[in-house]
Structure formats: structure tokens, C-alpha cells
Amino acid sequence: MSSAHPPLAWRHTVAALAVLTVFALLLGAGLAPLTRAAMVVGLGIGLWATGWLPQWLTALVFFTLCMAAKVAPAAVTFSGFESAATWLVFSGMVIGAAINHTGLGERAAVRIGPYLASGYPQAVFGIGLAALLASFVMPSSMGRILLLTPIMLTLVERLGYAPGDPARSGFLLSGIMSSFLPAFAILPANVPNNVLMGTSEAVLGFSPSYGHYFLLHFPVLGLLKWLLMLGLILRLFPAAPGPHQTSAVAPTLPEGRPNLIMVALLAFAVVMWMTDAWHGISPAWIGMLVALVCLYPGSGLLPPKPLAQMNLEPFLYVAGIVSLGALAHASGVGAALAGHLLGVLPLAPGADAGNFGWLAGLATLLGMLATLPGIPAVMTPLTPQLAEVTSWSPQAAVMIQVLGFSTIVLPYQSPPLIVGLLAARVDLRHAIRVTLPLALITIVLLWPLDYLWWRWLGAF
């Protein structure tokens, strides 16, 4: 390791010591299964939160510790590879590479670029609005990010925001974060929303409707939070002084069969994603059908040996983080923490404001432990108890967790965010500069406003 970067070497050393210490403790006798699982979950969260190891390497550490120390069976340890989210990432990577190879990303940038070229604030708002509107027609935030990222990378070059310019990070963060952050308030548009819908049906016998969910959450947690996020990005990542050179002449792009095939494939994917409630095919497998066509020899949509040229880090990361959430759930770590906290939280019938804040805080804390999709998996089974303690309706008690999984404190909690950052090559620290203050603003300002909104709607 070069001595020019001692802080990085120090972090790697500390991370290695932490891994070795946990492994030694796991091999020792006398630890309860819950404690062993909690140690591995805590190590994984710590490494992903600090970034002291590459995201993909932390995933491999998690898999190795679970299997070598027999913390969990293979079905749980590698459950991330069975997850539709993981294969949606893979298909999105293939589709994104095909968009670039065929020149389709450049063509889209040529069409969109003039609408964003009037200034940096207009560019940030424009790409953010496009990503937000996509949330209403594409049900997967991972799919949205992976399809939009190659277009955004082409756009940011054409708009003249060079590497090192804060405006480059601001533009890309606006598109990436707008793809999923406001979508927590749109029922089918994010994984945690859909997990909430499924677990609510299984545990409580009802599922929230699209309209009720949208009305309850979108005005404050969706639209207002999105506008605050854009304002924060513009303030934290101002454009460098001086003119930005925008390419005015469209480059020469390949014509013919590959372009037509790619357009047809994307149209097929979007239509199928929009109608998934009708045909019942997961967005992941729709994406894989398109990816298989792109990968097929002789299609002309990808270069020879495409996998050798693709960055598979996001694929490993998502498999790891989904598996960690599965371990936290299957081992009872998440439920044990929630049950312990419920025993000490000052919840009481009639104390609606206090109950609202404490339960939103509990959901946020669980999101830092079990990641965002783990919140409804842990909290929904507790809903009957919550409704009894707070004297709320089961509908209100189950909806409170949306405040938790829409409050992202650190990027590792959200696989789509990490995948977008890796695909766009945006520094993780830049994302933390947005997520941390936005989480604080959410807790201090938006939660009270959301409580008043709920009261006005008569949700309690």
C-alpha cells in the first residue's frame, strides 16, 4: 500500500482486525446463535456504513464468515442470489452496457440536452423531475437507476461538467436520488413499499390501496422532501465558476439493426414493467429477458465477451446486503431489537404525537440494522401490538413504518442508491453529504409536518 495514503491504509488495517476478531469470536464456544448472527450483521453494517472496505469485498466477507463459522445455513447466507432485486441489478447492468454500445444513450442525451443546458439549477431540477416522473411508470427503483445512469453520464459530459467539478456530482446525485427517494411515497415504486404491501396482506388481512398510500405519504414525504433534497444538492454542490462547454453538434452514431433492436427491447421492457400488476411477471425477470437478448451471440448489442468488460461490483453488493437483511430477519436479530425497544419506549394510548415520533424513530433505527426492506418484514408482525398500545387503527400502525424506510441516514441502507453511485462513479462521501443533513431535516421538520398532515386527514 502506498505511503501517500496513510489514512486509507489505516482504515483497511482496522477493518481487517475487525474481521479477524469477529471470526475468532465466532469460532469460540458458548455464543448463542442470536449473538453470533448479531455479530456478523453488526460487522457488515459497520463496514458498509464506513466504507473502510470496498462494498463488494464486504459482501464477500459476509458470505465467508457465515459459511466458515456456520452462522447460518446456505439458504439464508446466499438468499440474496435468489432475490429478484439482485437479478434486476444484473439485467440493468447488461441493458445499460447495451445502451452505451449501440449509441442509444448518446442519442437520448442529444434530445434531452437542450432542455437542460440553460443553467445548472435547471439541469439539476430537470434530470430530477425526469427521474421522479419515471417512478410513476416503472415499478422498480433499481431498474430506473440502471436505465437512467448511462443516459445521465452522457448528459453530464455534453453539459460540460468535468470530473472534479462539484456540479457533476450534483447533477448525477439529483438523478440517482430522485429515482428512488420520493418513490417511497408511491406504492409500487420501491421494494420496501411492496414488502409492506405483501406483509400487511399476510399478517393483517388487508393491503393499502394506491390512492390512500399516495395521499397519506406523497405530499410531505414525497414531493416536499424531493424539493428540499434538490435545494440541498444545489447548495452543497455548486457549479464551478466559468462557462461550461456544451456540445452543440450531435456526434456520428451507429445506425441500423442494433439501434432498432435496442429501441424495441426497451419499449417492450417499459410496457411490461408498467403492466406488471396485470401479467404478474417480476420486473427482474422482464429485465433478464431483455438482457438475454442483448447477451446473445451475434445480436450486435454488446461487444464480444461482454461480461469481461462489465463491472460486477453492484451485483455482489446487492446480493450481500439482501442476504444480510435475510439473516437479521431469520435469526430474530431485528425482531429482538424491536421487541426490546418496544418494551422501553414510552408509548401510551392518546399520546399520538409522542407515539408517532417514537415509532418513526424505531423504524429508522431498524432500517440502519436490517436495511430498508427489512423494516416492514420486522415491524408489520408487530402491528397488532402497536395498535393496542397506541390505540391506533391497524392501518395507521402499519403505515408509520413508511417514515422509517423513507429516512435514509447512510447510503448503505439503500441498494439502489449504492448501485447508482457505483454505476455513475460518484464518491460515497458525496452521497453522505446529502443523506445525513436530509435525514436531520426530515426528522426535525418533515416528521412534525407529516404528523399534522395525518391528523388533518383523520388517519389516527
Side-chain angles (χ1 to χ4, degrees):
M1 183 68 63
S2 171
S3 60
H5 301 283
L8 186 60
W10 177 82
R11 293 171 196 162
H12 289 170
T13 301
V14 172
L17 289 174
V19 172
L20 291 173
T21 300
V22 169
F23 185 55
L25 291 172
L26 291 172
L27 292 180
L31 292 177
L34 184 64
T35 304
R36 289 161 56 81
M39 290 173 60
V40 176
V41 169
L43 176 67
I45 289 174
L47 293 177
W48 273 316
T50 60
W52 286 0
L53 287 181
Q55 310 291 335
W56 60 269
L57 183 56
T58 298
L60 294 178
V61 166
F62 170 80
F63 295 138
T64 303
L65 289 182
C66 284
M67 295 306 296
K70 300 179 180 178
V71 174
V76 174
T77 300
F78 298 111
S79 58
F81 289 101
E82 299 179 2
S83 168
T86 304
W87 291 102
L88 186 59
V89 170
F90 179 80
S91 65
M93 288 162 35
V94 173
I95 294 169
I99 289 173
N100 282 333
H101 183 71
T102 59
L104 214 55
E106 185 69 41
R107 288 184 179 281
V110 168
R111 295 289 184 89
I112 300 171
Y115 298 100
L116 307 178
S118 56
Y120 175 58
Q122 292 85 342
V124 167
F125 180 83
I127 195 64
L129 180 61
L132 171 60
L133 293 177
S135 302
F136 289 93
V137 295
M138 292 179 64
S140 166
S141 57
M142 196 80 76
R144 291 191 298 273
I145 286 175
L146 288 168
L147 279 179
L148 288 173
T149 298
I151 298 173
M152 290 192 296
L153 287 171
T154 305
L155 275 169
V156 81
E157 295 292 340
R158 291 184 57 78
L159 293 172
Y161 302 125
D165 187 344
R168 182 185 182 91
S169 296
F171 179 85
L172 293 171
L173 282 170
S174 175
I176 293 168
M177 298 188 72
S178 295
S179 295
F180 76 94
L181 195 60
F184 287 116
I186 304 167
L187 188 57
N190 271 348
V191 171
N193 314 19
N194 294 325
V195 176
L196 169 62
M197 186 166 55
T199 54
S200 177
E201 178 70 31
V203 174
L204 304 174
F206 68 84
S207 188
S209 69
Y210 181 98
H212 176 67
Y213 189 96
F214 184 86
L215 180 63
L216 195 63
H217 300 300
F218 189 77
V220 177
L221 299 180
L223 182 59
L224 182 54
K225 188 171 186 175
W226 175 68
L227 292 172
L228 289 171
M229 181 195 76
L230 294 184
L232 198 59
I233 288 174
L234 288 171
R235 182 173 181 82
L236 293 173
F237 300 96
H244 295 275
Q245 299 298 322
T246 303
S247 175
V249 179
T252 302
L253 298 172
E255 301 280 357
R257 177 173 165 268
N259 266 255
L260 294 176
I261 294 175
M262 201 64 230
V263 169
L265 287 174
L266 289 178
F268 166 80
V270 171
V271 169
M272 291 294 285
W273 281 331
M274 290 174 62
T275 58
D276 68 334
W278 174 68
H279 55 68
I281 303 175
S282 166
W285 309 123
I286 295 169
M288 282 301 298
L289 288 172
V290 174
L292 287 175
V293 177
C294 295
L295 291 167
Y296 202 80
S299 69
L301 303 178
L302 286 169
K305 298 183 178 180
L307 295 186
Q309 303 177 36
M310 287 175 55
N311 176 16
L312 295 178
E313 292 179 14
F315 177 73
L316 286 174
Y317 165 76
V318 173
I321 199 69
V322 172
S323 297
L324 181 140
L327 175 61
H329 177 63
S331 65
V333 171
L337 175 64
H340 175 72
L341 291 176
L342 283 177
V344 299
L345 292 180
L347 305 175
D352 290 339
N355 295 339
F356 190 92
W358 285 116
L359 291 177
L362 171 61
T364 302
L365 181 62
L366 284 175
M368 298 186 70
L369 172 70
T371 71
L372 304 183
I375 295 175
V378 171
M379 286 198 69
T380 304
L382 300 173
T383 296
Q385 180 183 353
L386 294 178
E388 182 179 354
V389 171
T390 59
S391 73
W392 290 353
S393 67
Q395 289 86 347
V398 78
M399 285 294 188
I400 193 69
Q401 59 190 271
V402 179
L403 280 83
F405 62 64
S406 65
T407 303
I408 298 174
V409 181
L410 293 170
Y412 80 89
Q413 296 174 255
S414 173
L417 175 55
I418 289 290
V419 168
L421 296 175
L422 291 173
R425 305 204 181 279
V426 177
D427 195 312
L428 182 69
R429 292 171 296 180
H430 293 337
I432 293 175
R433 290 180 63 194
V434 178
T435 59
L436 273 177
L438 187 61
L440 181 61
I441 293 170
T442 298
I443 294 170
V444 173
L445 175 63
L446 296 187
W447 284 6
L449 287 176
D450 206 39
Y451 169 74
L452 295 175
W453 177 246
W454 281 37
R455 288 205 68 87
W456 187 77
L457 291 176
F460 297 111

